[in-house]
Amino acid sequence: MPRSPLALAALASVAVPGLDVYDVLRSPHTDADFEVVVVKDATGRRWIVRAPRRAAAGAALEAEKGLLGALARAEEAGLVTFAVPHPVGAAELGGDEGRAIVYTEVRGAPLVIAALQPGPGLAAALGRTLAEIHELPAAVVEDQGLPSYTAEEYRERRLAELDAGIQTGKVPPRLADRWEHQLENVSWWRFEPTVVHGDMGEHQVFVADGSVTGIVDWMDARVADPADDLAWLVASAPEDVLDTVIEAYTVGRRETRDPHLLDRARLASEMALMRWLMYGVRTDNPDVVADGEGMLADLEAMIFED
């Protein structure tokens, strides 16, 4: 059963002793895995409450909790210039969902790609932020027990994902052939694995005053292909904005010998539609499956238009 915002606010009061809830509103970040509300206390301070809807989501939330602490220490050490949410308490939900977790709110507002302009400014700041993430020591992720892959292991993982998608019969054959050819082109997959956010997008990047203030939603973090964190930009940013981001990103990276970074990012952006379809299959959600099939059909038409 869905929980009401008031029920989640009550959980926040349990999780953080002394929290005096003054107001509560449902967050637009509520989705199939999490219910999210924003709680205001009597002083006007805002807190984020996230409650998992499924056991798997609850496990991911717990894994993220330790990583957020490690990332906060990385900020204190000057390794990154952005903030992350800070977990301040948790409350049991009952059943097998796990716990609701209360976080401090990251300063700023979610990034809007359409507002980005090429040249010095926020687009360049975004490139530097992505470079900071990819320059983090792998131990930041590995010490939390999160996944870590070699380049070859990650290529094989993507091939296995493609095979699973093909078996559903819902992936257009021309797209499947395109992706298989690119995955089997081993020259594309000679990269140095890095810490990656794993679910980067507009809603995960918080900005204010022309700079990146915070990054949220670290549940898919891993050591893997840095191209994954660029996929959303390749798919949606204007070319001149993307050029600015990549230029600033490259300056901030020690590893520069990756000529196929954007090729893999484009592939990742395309295969993300299949992963959305597969999420619908796994959760037996016909609406998500239909949405995924429609997006794949649109992608096929765009790529292979006569």
Side-chain angles (χ1 to χ4, degrees):
M1 288 288 293
R3 299 175 181 86
S4 71
L6 288 176
L8 292 174
L11 284 170
S13 297
V14 172
V16 185
L19 176 59
D20 184 8
V21 176
Y22 177 76
D23 194 12
V24 59
L25 59 137
R26 189 172 294 279
S27 167
H29 301 306
T30 291
D31 57 24
D33 287 328
F34 299 99
E35 294 171 300
V36 186
V37 297
V38 179
V39 168
K40 279 187 182 179
D41 66 20
T43 70
R45 188 175 183 185
R46 291 158 59 100
W47 311 79
I48 306 300
V49 186
R50 178 177 284 171
R53 296 179 187 266
R54 303 182 296 115
L61 207 61
E62 294 294 335
E64 182 199 41
K65 191 169 180 287
L67 176 62
L68 291 175
L71 290 167
R73 292 189 292 274
E75 183 189 8
E76 292 170 0
L79 297 179
V80 297
T81 57
F82 56 84
V84 297
H86 177 58
V88 294
E92 295 291 338
L93 293 172
D96 61 356
E97 291 100 333
R99 303 190 298 172
I101 297 182
V102 182
Y103 309 83
T104 57
E105 185 180 51
V106 170
R107 182 176 69 89
L111 173 72
V112 178
I113 284 186
L116 288 177
Q117 297 294 323
L122 187 53
L126 177 59
R128 291 191 294 270
T129 296
L130 293 171
E132 288 177 358
I133 294 171
H134 296 169
E135 288 294 314
L136 283 167
V140 169
V141 165
E142 294 171 341
D143 288 353
Q144 306 305 318
L146 295 170
S148 180
Y149 302 96
T150 66
E152 179 58 20
E153 287 170 343
Y154 205 61
R155 186 179 75 89
E156 291 173 355
R157 178 181 174 84
R158 288 289 190 230
L159 277 167
E161 289 178 352
L162 177 57
D163 287 343
I166 292 171
Q167 288 172 16
T168 67
K170 299 179 184 298
V171 177
R174 288 191 294 182
L175 284 179
D177 289 344
R178 169 186 172 86
W179 296 340
E180 185 175 31
H181 175 75
Q182 293 172 344
L183 286 165
E184 290 180 345
N185 184 352
V186 294
S187 67
W188 278 28
W189 298 89
R190 296 181 182 128
F191 64 87
E192 184 68 30
T194 70
V195 171
V196 296
H197 177 278
D199 188 30
M200 193 68 76
E202 288 178 291
H203 295 305
Q204 285 68 44
V205 181
F206 278 63
V207 301
D209 303 321
S211 64
V212 176
T213 56
I215 305 291
V216 303
D217 297 346
W218 290 85
M219 285 167 292
D220 292 313
R222 52 191 178 261
V223 175
D225 186 356
D228 287 356
D229 284 347
L230 301 172
W232 63 294
L233 290 165
V234 168
S236 56
E239 186 174 349
D240 53 357
V241 169
L242 179 62
D243 288 344
T244 294
V245 173
I246 295 303
E247 181 179 359
Y249 171 83
T250 302
V251 170
R253 289 295 317 279
R254 289 183 302 241
E255 174 61 53
T256 59
R257 299 179 304 277
D258 192 352
H260 295 290
L261 177 68
L262 292 184
D263 292 325
R264 298 195 313 277
R266 190 166 291 104
L267 171 62
S269 73
E270 294 177 9
M271 291 188 68
L273 305 185
M274 184 188 71
R275 286 194 291 279
W276 177 239
L277 167 73
M278 294 302 292
Y279 172 80
V281 171
R282 288 195 306 274
T283 58
D284 195 24
N285 187 324
D287 291 337
V288 172
V289 171
D291 189 40
E293 286 186 287
M295 289 191 294
L296 287 172
D298 290 343
L299 177 64
E300 180 187 34
M302 181 181 70
I303 292 175
F304 299 103
E305 62 181 353
D306 296 327

